[in-house]
Amino acid sequence: EVQLVQSGAEVKKPGESLKISCKGSGYSFTSYWIGWVRQMPGKGLEWMGIIYPGDSDTRYSPSFQGQVIISADKSISTAYLRWSSLKASDTAMYYCARHVGAVAATRVDYWGQGTLVTVSS
Amino acid sequence: QSVLTQPPSVSGAPGQRVTISCTGSSSNIGAGYDVHWYQQLPGTAPKLLISGNSNRPSGVPDRFSGSKSGTSASLAITGLQAEDEADYYCQSYDSSLKVVFGGGTKLTVL
């Protein structure tokens, strides 16, 4: 059974750094793109970017390029999303998402349970 | 503002048919890229509902169907049930923005 298990909720202050994780199991972690999707409170889904753990090829949405870093450690089947300096506007639920299909036809077939990040002074 | 435009809300009575539109442009849907649909029940992660414009993943009832034409796509739900009340999102690929989602549509079952 494919599972994506994310790290727990975080409460941080503006300016702090943060790294959240997503551990994949039940499939070949290095053979699928895995990415992150943001959902701000009461808002829609926003695609942030993806990484191919097999070779660490990473693609970002222009909206998130330079704002976050996506990485993966294939030895432990885990993907990460990192911020170096959080802002209040980073408050949101973050979902990791396994992508399937060619990049131009890609869709998400499995989702993590979500990690709620709250940034407040 | 999302690259893919969806109506903010739709509603229907139990048993009725509703459709949700997803309008894009020549750099995404109109360029021939596939459209996928997701259902997000309150407080849960999204779930893939329709892939590749019109294909239902295993376990998705045949009350849900998808279509695509030109720069738009549609999700149709027939025999509306109370459990269908959720947010629905379309998703495609954009040649400059990469993967893009629609703004989402809230379905209310009256």
Side-chain angles (χ1 to χ4, degrees):
Chain A
E1 179 196 7
V2 174
Q3 284 194 310
L4 298 175
V5 179
Q6 298 185 226
S7 49
E10 301 274 2
V11 179
K12 292 289 192 178
K13 290 181 167 42
E16 293 186 331
S17 63
L18 175 65
K19 190 176 188 178
I20 61 175
S21 66
C22 168
K23 183 173 177 60
S25 63
Y27 72 100
S28 173
F29 186 74
T30 55
S31 299
Y32 291 82
W33 292 85
I34 188 161
W36 294 91
V37 175
R38 182 175 81 175
Q39 188 167 37
M40 299 176 76
K43 301 298 183 183
L45 305 174
E46 298 174 273
W47 187 82
M48 302 177 73
I50 47 174
I51 187 166
Y52 191 74
D55 61 7
S56 294
D57 185 4
T58 309
R59 318 278 175 93
Y60 293 94
S61 162
S63 299
F64 291 94
Q65 180 85 47
Q67 308 304 309
V68 295
I69 294 176
I70 295 171
S71 62
D73 184 340
K74 60 186 179 183
S75 69
I76 54 172
S77 300
T78 300
Y80 301 97
L81 180 64
R82 181 164 67 89
W83 296 261
S84 58
S85 181
L86 287 160
K87 302 184 282 288
S89 57
D90 292 317
T91 294
M93 181 72 82
Y94 293 88
Y95 292 102
C96 70
R98 191 182 85 160
H99 288 55
V100 65
V103 173
T106 194
R107 68 270 186 194
V108 176
D109 62 348
Y110 287 93
W111 298 76
Q113 83 275 20
T115 296
L116 182 61
V117 174
T118 304
V119 183
S120 174
S121 55
Chain B
Q1 192 159 350
S2 303
V3 171
L4 304 180
T5 301
Q6 298 180 233
S9 63
V10 298
S11 62
Q16 284 190 332
R17 178 181 187 270
V18 297
T19 61
I20 299 172
S21 61
C22 174
T23 303
S25 68
S26 58
S27 65
N28 41 70
I29 298 175
Y33 297 120
D34 284 349
V35 178
H36 319 287
W37 291 89
Y38 301 88
Q39 177 193 59
Q40 186 176 32
L41 296 169
T44 69
K47 165 193 164 186
L48 182 63
L49 198 62
I50 296 289
S51 67
N53 307 315
S54 59
N55 302 299
R56 281 186 310 277
S58 174
V60 174
D62 59 7
R63 302 185 296 104
F64 296 90
S65 63
S67 63
K68 174 189 157 186
S69 177
T71 58
S72 295
S74 289
L75 173 71
I77 310 171
T78 58
L80 207 55
Q81 299 180 5
E83 66 206 50
D84 299 332
E85 190 159 287
D87 294 324
Y88 292 84
Y89 296 90
C90 60
Q91 177 247 304
S92 187
Y93 182 88
D94 187 282
S95 55
S96 59
L97 298 170
K98 302 186 177 64
V99 176
V100 288
F101 284 100
T105 298
K106 181 176 182 60
L107 169 63
T108 301
V109 180
L110 302 170

